Amino acid sequence: MDNRKYERESAEALRQEQQESVRRLREFPTFAKFSDSDLKKLVEAAHRTSTSGPWPLIREQTPSDACYILLSGEAGVYVGNERIAVVGAGEIIGENALRRGKLRNATVTTTGRAEVLHIEREDLERLIAEIRALRETLDETVSRHVPASATAE
């Protein structure tokens, strides 16, 4: 296979994967306020990955370098060895510590098969500046996930 053909096929596969990710995000209430253009920007900035079993997305007391959006599957949220919550498809994970520049306050591990969008810190910061719906959604997500006393720090 010549390189140009391989590049075209790779670009087409990526385009199809991104279209599928946009379609999936559109299904979740979390992303109801987003325009198609907003979702496309979000997906283009993300790296999509799949897990076949439990996989730690975030580890407690580590630096925040990315956030995640579950496209499918679920993840357990642990403080120490205690599971304190389960999050499902359509949830944004790890955004609070990332935005505040704090260490992670929990470990988040997929419970089985899952598809995840991974968004690096720099990309998230750029997207927050560009996409109003993302800023609003992250603020709402933080208010649901973090007790009021923890946000007053």
Side-chain angles (χ1 to χ4, degrees):
M1 179 182 308
D2 73 53
N3 286 340
R4 288 181 304 242
K5 182 178 179 188
Y6 175 78
E7 288 172 9
R8 282 191 309 274
E9 290 175 357
S10 293
E12 178 60 20
L14 177 60
R15 188 184 66 72
Q16 288 178 3
E17 180 180 271
Q18 289 174 339
Q19 285 179 335
E20 172 64 13
S21 294
V22 166
R23 187 192 63 73
R24 297 282 292 286
L25 290 176
R26 179 61 61 215
E27 296 173 359
F28 302 122
T30 303
F31 299 95
K33 296 180 195 174
F34 287 65
S35 69
D36 289 341
S37 174
D38 292 343
L39 291 176
K40 186 175 181 214
K41 284 181 191 177
L42 184 65
V43 166
E44 286 174 349
H47 173 73
R48 184 171 164 173
T49 190
S50 299
T51 68
S52 59
W55 179 58
L57 299 171
I58 292 171
R59 294 188 190 272
E60 189 173 6
Q61 297 301 310
T62 61
S64 305
D65 61 348
C67 73
Y68 302 86
I69 300 171
L70 276 175
L71 291 176
S72 68
E74 64 180 23
V77 180
Y78 300 85
V79 174
N81 291 324
E82 182 183 349
R83 185 163 84 179
I84 61 167
V86 175
V87 294
E91 290 285 338
I92 302 172
I93 302 164
E95 74 294 333
N96 186 43
L98 185 62
R99 290 179 74 195
R100 296 181 339 151
K102 303 274 185 181
L103 293 178
R104 306 289 191 175
N105 61 7
T107 296
V108 180
T109 302
T110 61
T111 59
R113 296 180 69 86
E115 291 179 297
V116 179
L117 291 178
H118 172 113
I119 305 170
E120 296 288 335
R121 172 193 302 275
E122 298 79 23
D123 291 320
L124 182 64
E125 289 171 357
R126 177 181 53 79
L127 292 167
I128 288 170
E130 293 176 12
I131 304 172
R132 179 180 179 167
L134 180 59
R135 279 191 308 278
E136 293 171 356
T137 299
L138 291 178
D139 290 344
E140 291 167 8
T141 301
V142 167
S143 69
R144 281 195 324 268
H145 291 177
V146 179
S149 61
T151 59
E153 298 175 352

